[in-house]
């Protein structure tokens, strides 16, 4: 406990700023905090589905039928038809024959990435004998989410980072690995949450197929957003391959809780058998699975909701253009406005909040040193007036000439 006590004592004299206010409601995208109405430009509730009446009613029906929680592992009596139907629907959304549901997206990455390289060893407990011993190596984009990095670390496999979306660097690492005789697994976010960039999926697939690699795509910020039907990066690029495992979260565009990995059914069966994060914990509450089925219905029936999200994204970019700010990427609804200096960035966030606009200040280690940014995240529920107000505050801040990065 000595380290914990020492750190706690140090924090008393070196406070680290974070928004510690307690809210009365959740953003849709407006929320109430300390009696005031604030517009969030940092919510993952992209399609404003989290409080949609159809999701609420579906969850209520689920509560009436199942109660408040599932206190069982799905391997030990806790499996339900509603989970199987949700997995079927999620697999279809990703053009796969199956999906495996986890309690969160974070646990999906940890549970799958830590176990797939050990699957043969774990299956030995059930009598399986591998025909060949394989040595695995992970190849991970340097900007991948921390849950990916932790899952890879827990696997014990070799790991190599390639420069962000640099396919030449990835290819050189794969070539070196081929000489060493390792079996490669390429891992990339589909949409990078701090950058707003989209992974070059066709190039990743080409490399995966050339080097006989598994390609694991984290579509947390792409599911429900990219593609004509919200199918994510594969639908966005019309790029599909048996080499791809498609992970997604259910707590962002779909407005609930949970995570999943979409695969072919035979692979799904192996994951269920060998991933302790699936077999040794409870699934999401069944009422949330019921709500998610309603969310998938809305995703199909209301394409205009996703269209409003993209309309708002383009409107924000147009309104910001004359102000001289650099938007790191304009490819997705994540629009990071580069400020540079961390202290200035934090001050901007505080001043925006004073004007009723909530925007996250992203600093090291979530962003490189000297590249602090305000991460504006567009929402289908934003009005033009709300966007205009946020831009007007940014215009006033720009007029001070404080920004260190143009």
């Amino acid at each position: 406990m000595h380290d914990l006590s020492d750190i706690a004592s140090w924090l008393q004299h070196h406070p680290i700023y974070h928004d510690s206010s307690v809210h009365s409601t959740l953003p849709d995208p407006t929320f109430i905090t300390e009696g005031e109405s604030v517009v969030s430009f940092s919510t993952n509730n992209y399609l404003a589905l989290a409080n949609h009446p159809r999701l609420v009613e579906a969850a209520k029906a689920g509560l009436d039928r199942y109660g408040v929680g599932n206190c069982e592992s799905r391997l030990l009596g806790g499996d339900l038809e509603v989970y199987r139907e949700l997995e079927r629907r999620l697999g279809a959304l990703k053009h796969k024959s199956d999906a495996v549901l986890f309690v969160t997206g974070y646990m999906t990455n940890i549970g799958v990435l830590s176990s797939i390289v050990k699957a043969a060893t774990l299956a030995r407990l059930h009598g399986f004998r591998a025909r060949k011993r394989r040595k695995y190596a992970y190849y991970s984009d340097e900007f991948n989410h921390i849950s990916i990095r932790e899952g890879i670390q827990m696997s014990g496999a070799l790991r190599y980072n390639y420069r962000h979306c640099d396919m030449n660097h990835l290819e050189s690492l794969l070539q070196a690995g081929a000489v060493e005789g390792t079996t490669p697994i390429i891992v990339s976010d589909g949409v990078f949450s701090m950058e707003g960039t989209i992974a070059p999926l066709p190039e990743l697939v080409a490399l995966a197929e050339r080097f006989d690699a598994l390609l694991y795509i984290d579509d947390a910020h792409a599911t429900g957003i990219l593609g004509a039907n919200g199918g994510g990066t594969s639908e966005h690029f019309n790029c599909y391959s048996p080499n791809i495992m498609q992970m997604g979260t259910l707590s962002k565009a779909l407005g609930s809780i949970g995570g999943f990995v979409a695969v072919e059914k035979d692979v799904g069966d192996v994951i269920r058998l060998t991933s302790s994060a699936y077999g040794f914990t409870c699934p999401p509450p069944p009422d949330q699975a019921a709500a998610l089925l309603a969310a998938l219905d809305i995703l199909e029936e209301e394409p205009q909701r996703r269209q409003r999200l993209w309309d708002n994204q383009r409107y924000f970019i147009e309104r910001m253009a004359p102000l001289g700010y650099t938007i790191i990427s304009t490819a997705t609804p994540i629009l990071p406005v580069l400020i540079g200096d961390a202290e200035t960035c934090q001050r901007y966030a505080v001043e925006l909040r004073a004007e009723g606009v909530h925007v996250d200040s992203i600093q090291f280690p979530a962003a490189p040193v000297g590249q602090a940014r305000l991460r504006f995240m567009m929402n289908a529920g934003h009005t033009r007036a709300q966007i205009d107000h946020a831009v007007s505050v940014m215009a006033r801040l720009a007029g001070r000439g404080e920004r260190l990065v143009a």
Side-chain angles (χ1 to χ4, degrees):
M1 293 292 290
H2 292 294
D3 282 347
L4 299 181
S5 299
D6 290 346
I7 294 169
S9 177
W10 178 83
L11 282 172
Q12 291 180 0
H13 303 285
H14 302 82
I16 296 174
Y17 178 85
H18 61 89
D19 181 8
S20 58
S21 58
V22 178
H23 312 315
S24 303
T25 63
L26 291 170
D28 63 348
T30 301
F31 63 100
I32 304 298
T33 181
E34 299 176 350
E36 296 183 358
S37 179
V38 178
V39 180
S40 176
F41 282 86
S42 290
T43 175
N44 294 314
N45 184 22
Y46 290 107
L47 299 178
L49 286 178
N51 68 342
H52 192 288
R54 287 175 61 180
L55 271 70
V56 173
E57 287 302 315
K60 287 179 179 177
L63 285 170
D64 289 339
R65 179 172 181 177
Y66 301 108
V68 297
N70 187 337
C71 303
E72 312 291 339
S73 161
R74 289 180 68 188
L75 294 181
L76 299 174
D79 210 356
L80 294 170
E81 293 176 351
V82 69
Y83 296 138
R84 292 291 178 162
E85 176 62 11
L86 178 58
E87 288 174 329
R88 185 192 68 78
R89 294 281 300 276
L90 291 170
L93 179 67
K94 296 292 186 178
H95 290 234
K96 295 289 185 179
S97 60
D98 195 11
V100 182
L101 181 66
F102 289 80
V103 69
T104 66
Y106 205 107
M107 288 301 296
T108 307
N109 281 339
I110 289 178
V112 176
L113 294 173
S114 67
S115 65
I116 54 176
V117 300
K118 304 174 185 174
T121 300
L122 295 169
R124 285 175 62 89
L125 300 173
H126 303 275
F128 171 78
R129 294 295 180 268
R131 290 176 295 176
K132 177 183 178 181
R133 282 183 170 269
R134 296 181 182 274
K135 184 179 181 181
Y136 290 90
Y138 279 107
Y139 298 83
S140 177
D141 189 291
E142 64 176 333
F143 287 170
N144 277 342
H145 192 267
I146 189 171
S147 59
I148 290 175
R149 301 199 298 270
E150 289 187 350
I152 291 173
Q153 184 177 22
M154 290 170 63
S155 76
L158 295 170
R159 56 189 186 275
Y160 305 97
N161 288 339
Y162 62 89
R163 291 185 291 272
H164 181 50
C165 292
D166 187 335
M167 296 298 96
N168 291 328
H169 188 211
L170 173 57
E171 181 180 10
S172 67
L173 292 174
L174 290 168
Q175 288 173 337
V179 173
E180 297 171 0
T182 56
T183 298
I185 303 175
I186 304 168
V187 188
S188 176
D189 282 351
V191 170
F192 291 85
S193 60
M194 300 300 166
E195 309 295 317
T197 49
I198 304 175
L201 187 65
E203 291 88 343
L204 285 168
V205 167
L207 287 173
E209 293 180 347
R210 174 181 163 192
F211 287 94
D212 194 24
L214 184 65
L215 175 59
Y216 185 95
I217 297 295
D218 179 336
D219 251 0
H221 290 271
T223 301
I225 304 303
L226 296 186
N229 302 292
T233 50
S234 281
E235 188 175 59
H236 174 74
F237 288 106
N238 192 27
C239 180
Y240 300 93
S241 169
N243 294 57
I244 301 177
M245 297 176 71
Q246 297 189 48
M247 174 270 179
T249 53
L250 305 170
S251 58
K252 294 180 171 57
L254 295 180
S256 181
I257 185 68
F260 69 95
V261 59
V263 291
E264 301 307 333
K265 189 176 186 313
D266 55 348
V267 176
D269 289 341
V270 173
I271 292 172
R272 290 184 179 94
L273 182 69
T274 59
S275 174
S276 57
Y278 174 86
F280 286 81
T281 190
C282 299
D287 63 285
Q288 294 302 295
L292 284 159
L293 289 173
L296 290 171
D297 288 340
I298 294 171
L299 195 66
E300 294 177 4
E301 297 167 11
E302 298 184 15
Q304 66 272 19
R305 186 174 291 267
R306 192 165 53 255
Q307 185 61 51
R308 287 200 303 271
L309 170 67
W310 286 103
D311 288 345
N312 285 340
Q313 188 254 21
R314 285 186 287 270
Y315 184 70
F316 179 82
I317 293 169
E318 291 170 3
R319 295 283 283 109
M320 286 288 288
L323 304 185
Y325 288 100
T326 296
I327 300 178
I328 294 172
S329 173
T330 58
T332 74
I334 300 172
L335 300 169
V337 177
L338 186 62
I339 303 300
D341 175 66
E343 185 177 338
T344 302
C345 190
Q346 185 58 59
R347 187 166 61 251
Y348 277 25
V350 170
E351 296 197 29
L352 281 158
R353 184 59 177 272
E355 296 291 339
V357 177
H358 176 76
V359 181
D360 287 331
S361 171
I362 306 300
Q363 307 167 23
F364 180 83
V369 174
Q371 294 186 33
R373 73 283 308 263
L374 295 170
R375 185 177 62 164
F376 283 85
M377 300 172 73
M378 294 298 109
N379 191 281
H382 283 142
T383 66
R384 292 292 172 92
Q386 290 168 342
I387 296 172
D388 287 342
H389 177 57
V391 172
S392 70
V393 179
M394 291 297 290
R396 189 177 74 242
L397 294 172
R400 297 180 183 175
E402 289 184 77
R403 286 177 296 114
L404 302 184
V405 178

